[in-house]
Amino acid sequence: MSHILPWQQQSWQYFVQRKNVGQLPHALLIKGMEGVGKRSFANNLAALLLCTKSINKTEACKECSACLLLQVDNHPDLIVIEPQEKGKAI
């Protein structure tokens, strides 16, 4: 899993385990200091959850139709909500 940063491994394993037993919460709040890879982690988790052929159930395949749609930012089930300007409220 080269896409997961070393300091994210424990959290990643936790979410993968919860996903594989069908116990993910209905929503997640990912927080941390700026620059630690929160967006990357969230993107990888979204890819895993939306992938239809996940490899060993621990990472997205990057080849199925869902993964291809994610790669071009066009997956209908992924909506990214963020402020229009940095530092502003959503």
Side-chain angles (χ1 to χ4, degrees):
M1 286 182 294
S2 60
H3 61 285
I4 299 299
L5 299 169
W7 52 88
Q8 297 173 336
Q9 289 293 331
Q10 185 176 3
S11 296
W12 181 256
Q13 289 302 321
Y14 172 78
F15 285 116
V16 166
Q17 181 183 27
R18 297 286 304 262
K19 173 203 172 285
N20 290 338
V21 296
Q23 294 181 340
L24 275 176
H26 74 282
L28 300 171
L29 175 62
I30 299 172
K31 65 177 191 159
M33 297 184 321
E34 188 173 335
V36 296
K38 297 179 299 290
R39 183 177 300 267
S40 173
F41 186 90
N43 288 339
N44 286 315
L45 187 57
L48 174 64
L49 295 173
L50 294 170
C51 179
T52 58
K53 299 179 182 179
S54 62
I55 301 168
N56 298 328
K57 298 185 178 186
T58 61
E59 60 184 284
C61 75
K62 299 180 180 127
E63 297 175 359
C64 69
S65 60
C67 287
L68 295 176
L69 286 169
L70 282 170
Q71 290 172 24
V72 294
D73 296 326
N74 201 22
H75 196 291
D77 293 330
L78 180 66
I79 300 170
V80 177
I81 300 172
E82 58 189 357
Q84 289 183 342
E85 296 178 36
K86 188 174 181 171
K88 299 287 184 174
I90 294 175

